[in-house]
């Protein structure tokens, strides 16, 4: 069996081996494992796993990171899916400049107040000070909407539905974290205008469903769809919907992606008016929505383990890695040929597979390397596998090993990959559900918060009460806040009181600490 073949191969690590007539120093397995454990030091574990898994490289400007191909390819898979879906909705791609003039930026006061501390400014050109500083976009409402007012004149110009794939810069924050919180990040941002609120409301939820699919169907991360509180909604918007994820190891919620109805606030500021069918002047209703490279960080935090990354098959650059395991007087060429044939048949069937033929690394070293990079399935081919016309398949998610006859290769590999995708989602869902604590009183809330729970509590929906909860829970770990009020509301019995104020409760809301 390939497993035994590999074990014998491991014993030779560090010794000189003759491969293809040349003497090679075969690399030992040392230095590959992670120094930190996910359960013991989550922050250090995460920092280590994103670098060791070749997702990012640190850059010499704090809060900026290089996205390596292993990460970028995941972004491209998500982009391909989302771009095709929004095109079905008749949303068109465009591109607007990176720079914003201060006059335009200041026009929408509530909105820019929410972003003011994070806006980066260009103040010089060479050695000369600019007469008027120029802002770098933290988001593009104020960049785009002056032109919406130019392009929209009558009801026939509506709806106007644009998206752009771009980068944004948000400068000020205390704890940069790769993917999760960085000074520059990639995203898509959709900006749309409608004649009626009903059309805008419908799109908000259509887009939110696409965000749920990105997390649950592609990244295998369970999320809750819901509405943000008035305090937590998008600055200057009417209401904000969100998909919220939760990281059990840290007991923190994380905003996955947001879809906002902006109402008519920006239309008023930027004079985006149109003549309706009755010949009357009216203001448009607008939405904006975005998801970012944060999605990748949430996936890593959810599935990664003490061996490194664990990638869901749907987004993995390489879904299957094929490793030859020759030893002693094995038919090395025959094994290499079998590996090449395996990769060829998998690739032809649409599975992303590659072989690792590097002859200066032992099979054991390669196993650790590809486990660190999170490849969903490893196929090993050794002398016994060659003799039995089979391959040994090892799953990354649970380590389960199976022997697959070459005759059934493609079909069984597809089944295993589907099973891995499903298992990652189900496991993450169970872990998340185990963290949900329903509370009715302040004491229960405080206890659950201390136990890193995702708290579901009845709330009176009053902003002052939410502010007071933040004040009362301030501490080293950060204050608790509302994460979202889920659309899927449990029954709220008559007479239920708010856990924090004792007033009549209006809804169930998720609370917790967050990223």
């Amino acid at each position: 069996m390939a497993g035994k073949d590999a074990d014998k191969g491991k014993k030779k690590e560090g010794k000189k081996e003759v491969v293809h007539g040349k003497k090679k120093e075969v690399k030992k397995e040392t230095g590959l494992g992670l120094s930190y454990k996910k359960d013991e030091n989550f922050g250090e574990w995460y920092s280590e796993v994103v670098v060791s898994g070749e997702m990012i490289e640190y850059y010499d400007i704090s809060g900026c990171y290089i996205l390596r191909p292993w990460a970028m390819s995941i972004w491209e898979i998500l982009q391909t899916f989302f771009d095709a879906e929004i095109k079905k909705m008749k949303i068109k791609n465009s591109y607007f400049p990176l720079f914003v003039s201060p006059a335009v930026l200041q026009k929408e006061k509530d909105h820019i107040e929410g972003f003011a501390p994070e806006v980066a400014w260009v103040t010089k050109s060479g050695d000369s000070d600019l007469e008027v500083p120029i802002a770098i976009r933290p988001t593009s409402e104020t960049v785009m909407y002056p032109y919406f007012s130019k392009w929209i004149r009558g009801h026939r110009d509506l709806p106007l539905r644009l998206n752009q794939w771009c980068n944004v810069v948000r400068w000020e924050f205390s704890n940069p974290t790769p993917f999760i919180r960085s000074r520059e990040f990639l995203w898509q941002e959709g900006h749309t205008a409608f004649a009626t609120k009903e059309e805008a409301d419908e799109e908000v939820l259509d887009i939110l469903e696409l965000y749920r699919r990105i997390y649950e169907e592609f990244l295998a991360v369970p999320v809750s769809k819901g509405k943000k509180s008035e305090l937590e909604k998008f600055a200057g918007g009417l209401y904000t919907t969100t998909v919220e994820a939760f990281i059990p190891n840290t007991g923190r919620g994380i905003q996955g992606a947001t879809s906002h109805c902006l109402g008519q606030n920006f239309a008023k500021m930027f004079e985006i008016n149109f003549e309706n069918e009755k010949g009357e002047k009216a203001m448009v209703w607008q939405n904006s929505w975005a998801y970012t490279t944060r999605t990748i960080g949430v996936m890593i935090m959810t599935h990664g383990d003490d061996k490194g990354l664990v990638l869901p098959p749907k987004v993995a650059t390489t879904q299957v890695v094929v490793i030859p395991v020759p030893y002693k007087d094995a038919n090395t060429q025959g094994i290499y040929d079998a590996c090449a044939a395996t990769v060829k048949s998998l690739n032809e069937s649409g599975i992303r597979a590659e072989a690792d033929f590097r002859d200066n690394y032992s099979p054991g070293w390669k196993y650790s390397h590809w486990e660190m990079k999170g490849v969903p399935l490893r196929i090993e081919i050794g002398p016994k596998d060659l003799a039995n016309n089979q391959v040994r398949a090892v799953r990354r998610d649970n380590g389960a090993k199976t022997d697959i006859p070459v005759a059934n290769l493609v079909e069984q590999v597809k089944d295993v990959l589907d099973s891995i995708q499903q298992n990652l989602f189900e496991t993450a869902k169970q872990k998340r559900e185990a963290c949900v604590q329903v509370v009715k009183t302040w004491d229960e809330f405080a206890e659950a918060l201390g136990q890193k729970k995702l708290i579901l509590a009845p709330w009176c929906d009053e902003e002052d009460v939410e502010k007071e909860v933040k004040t009362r829970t301030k501490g080293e770990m950060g204050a608790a806040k509302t994460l979202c009020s889920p659309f899927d509301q449990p029954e709220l019995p008559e007479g239920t009181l708010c856990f924090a104020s004792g007033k009549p409760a209006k809804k169930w809301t998720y609370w917790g600490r967050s990223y």
Side-chain angles (χ1 to χ4, degrees):
M1 300 297 162
K4 289 178 186 168
D5 296 340
D7 290 338
K8 290 182 184 176
K10 277 187 187 179
K11 289 172 190 168
K12 288 193 171 186
E13 286 160 24
K15 293 180 184 174
K16 299 276 184 186
E17 285 190 0
V18 179
V19 183
H20 301 313
K22 290 183 290 186
K23 284 199 170 183
K24 280 272 179 190
E25 184 68 43
V26 177
K27 290 272 173 85
K28 295 181 181 178
E29 226 177 318
T30 51
L32 258 189
L34 297 173
S35 318
Y36 296 94
K37 293 204 173 337
K38 189 178 184 181
D39 287 340
E40 291 169 13
N41 192 332
F42 186 85
E44 295 290 352
W45 168 84
Y46 180 77
S47 299
E48 192 179 11
V49 88
V50 292
V51 174
S52 301
E54 297 177 4
M55 299 292 269
I56 64 127
E57 187 62 71
Y58 282 92
Y59 192 61
D60 66 354
I61 295 171
S62 170
C64 296
Y65 308 97
I66 297 162
L67 296 189
R68 299 185 66 182
W70 205 241
M72 200 62 199
S73 62
I74 294 173
W75 182 243
E76 287 171 342
I77 287 167
L78 300 181
Q79 185 177 17
T80 300
F81 160 73
F82 189 79
D83 203 61
E85 290 298 320
I86 61 174
K87 280 176 177 152
K88 287 180 200 168
M89 294 166 68
K90 303 284 188 278
I91 294 162
K92 295 181 166 67
N93 282 328
S94 56
Y95 185 80
F96 285 74
L98 176 68
F99 302 112
V100 200
S101 70
V104 174
L105 195 64
Q106 298 302 337
K107 207 163 185 179
E108 216 295 340
K109 290 283 188 290
D110 288 348
H111 172 67
I112 203 52
E113 262 175 39
F115 286 101
E118 300 178 337
V119 176
W121 293 88
V122 179
T123 57
K124 276 182 173 293
S125 166
D127 293 331
S128 312
D129 290 337
L130 293 185
E131 205 170 301
V132 179
I134 295 169
I136 299 172
R137 62 176 168 223
T139 175
S140 296
E141 281 75 7
T142 55
V143 178
M144 294 181 169
Y145 298 167
Y147 301 90
F148 277 33
S149 71
K150 186 178 174 181
W151 300 335
I152 295 167
R153 286 282 175 259
H155 64 88
R156 290 182 189 83
D157 299 326
L158 293 170
L160 177 61
R161 305 174 85 181
L162 301 180
N163 176 67
Q164 67 172 358
W165 295 94
C166 64
N167 62 339
V168 288
V169 172
R170 296 183 185 173
W171 201 257
E172 191 188 43
F173 50 79
S174 50
N175 296 308
T177 306
F179 298 114
I180 302 299
R181 194 169 285 280
S182 55
R183 285 186 168 160
E184 180 193 6
F185 54 85
L186 301 180
W187 73 349
Q188 59 68 220
E189 51 176 324
H191 295 269
T192 54
F194 299 91
T196 65
K197 182 174 185 288
E198 290 71 28
E199 291 171 282
D201 288 339
E202 185 182 350
E203 184 197 69
V204 165
L205 296 182
D206 287 346
I207 293 293
L208 196 69
E209 173 60 12
L210 292 181
Y211 293 155
R212 182 201 66 79
R213 290 181 63 192
I214 281 172
Y215 274 99
E216 297 196 341
E217 294 178 14
F218 284 81
L219 301 171
V221 172
V223 290
S224 292
K225 288 204 286 190
K227 191 175 175 181
K228 286 284 189 187
S229 69
E230 284 297 299
L231 200 60
E232 294 291 329
K233 75 176 184 183
F234 184 63
L238 181 61
Y239 65 86
T240 290
T241 68
T242 180
V243 287
E244 292 282 325
F246 186 77
I247 309 300
N249 295 76
T250 59
R252 289 182 187 272
I254 186 160
Q255 185 175 287
T258 46
S259 183
H260 318 285
C261 179
L262 303 178
Q264 294 180 305
N265 195 7
F266 288 90
K268 194 179 292 177
M269 292 292 168
F270 291 95
E271 297 175 12
I272 312 174
N273 303 312
F274 70 102
E275 194 176 275
N276 66 20
E277 289 170 352
K278 295 174 186 168
E280 302 159 341
K281 191 179 172 187
M283 278 191 300
V284 298
W285 291 85
Q286 288 175 268
N287 293 338
S288 72
W289 28 269
Y291 79 93
T292 77
T293 36
R294 169 180 275 201
T295 47
I296 299 170
V298 177
M299 174 201 74
I300 295 166
M301 288 181 163
T302 301
H303 304 306
D305 62 20
D306 292 342
K307 290 180 177 179
L309 298 170
V310 179
L311 301 181
K314 275 198 176 179
V315 295
T317 313
T318 301
Q319 295 169 312
V320 181
V321 64
V322 181
I323 296 175
V325 191
Y327 71 94
K328 281 188 187 166
D329 308 318
N331 173 6
T332 305
Q333 195 54 52
I335 289 170
Y336 276 43
D337 291 346
C339 289
T342 299
V343 169
K344 186 169 184 280
S345 58
L346 291 175
N347 285 346
E348 283 171 355
S349 73
I351 294 166
R352 298 186 289 276
E354 65 174 281
D356 187 344
F357 288 130
R358 293 175 295 175
D359 56 12
N360 57 330
Y361 294 102
S362 71
W365 190 95
K366 291 177 187 178
Y367 296 172
S368 300
H369 172 76
W370 293 106
E371 280 173 351
M372 180 81 78
K373 289 182 62 123
V375 171
L377 191 66
R378 178 173 83 235
I379 283 180
E380 306 163 4
I381 302 178
K384 289 196 172 72
D385 301 305
L386 195 62
N388 294 334
N389 213 18
Q390 66 182 29
V391 301
R392 161 68 58 95
V394 185
R395 290 170 60 142
R396 175 66 182 89
D397 60 335
N398 60 16
K401 299 177 180 184
T402 45
D403 293 324
I404 300 176
V406 171
N408 299 346
L409 180 75
V410 168
E411 193 180 306
Q412 280 193 241
V413 166
K414 278 186 174 169
D415 287 347
V416 174
L417 291 175
D418 287 346
S419 168
I420 293 169
Q421 184 80 26
Q422 193 59 34
N423 180 50
L424 285 174
F425 179 67
E426 292 302 335
T427 303
K429 198 173 178 185
Q430 284 163 16
K431 283 182 183 169
R432 185 178 193 270
E433 283 169 2
C435 292
V436 176
Q437 184 88 37
V438 178
V439 309
K440 301 281 179 65
T441 67
W442 178 263
D443 288 346
E444 289 173 352
F445 176 83
E447 188 184 344
L449 193 64
Q451 294 169 347
K452 297 182 176 178
K453 298 293 189 184
L454 173 56
I455 301 165
L456 187 59
W459 179 40
C460 60
D461 198 16
E462 290 184 17
E463 206 168 303
D464 288 345
V465 173
E466 183 176 2
K467 283 177 180 168
E468 190 172 318
V469 171
K470 276 188 166 182
T471 306
R472 287 173 75 180
T473 56
K474 267 205 174 100
E476 279 181 26
M477 299 283 289
K481 63 180 185 180
T482 58
L483 303 172
C484 74
S485 297
F487 292 146
D488 191 5
Q489 282 278 317
E491 192 190 341
L492 188 68
E494 205 174 319
T496 303
L497 301 179
C498 171
F499 79 99
S501 68
K503 297 176 183 177
K506 292 183 182 167
K507 57 165 77 164
W508 289 96
T509 298
Y510 282 117
W511 296 74
R513 295 194 175 92
S514 77
Y515 280 94

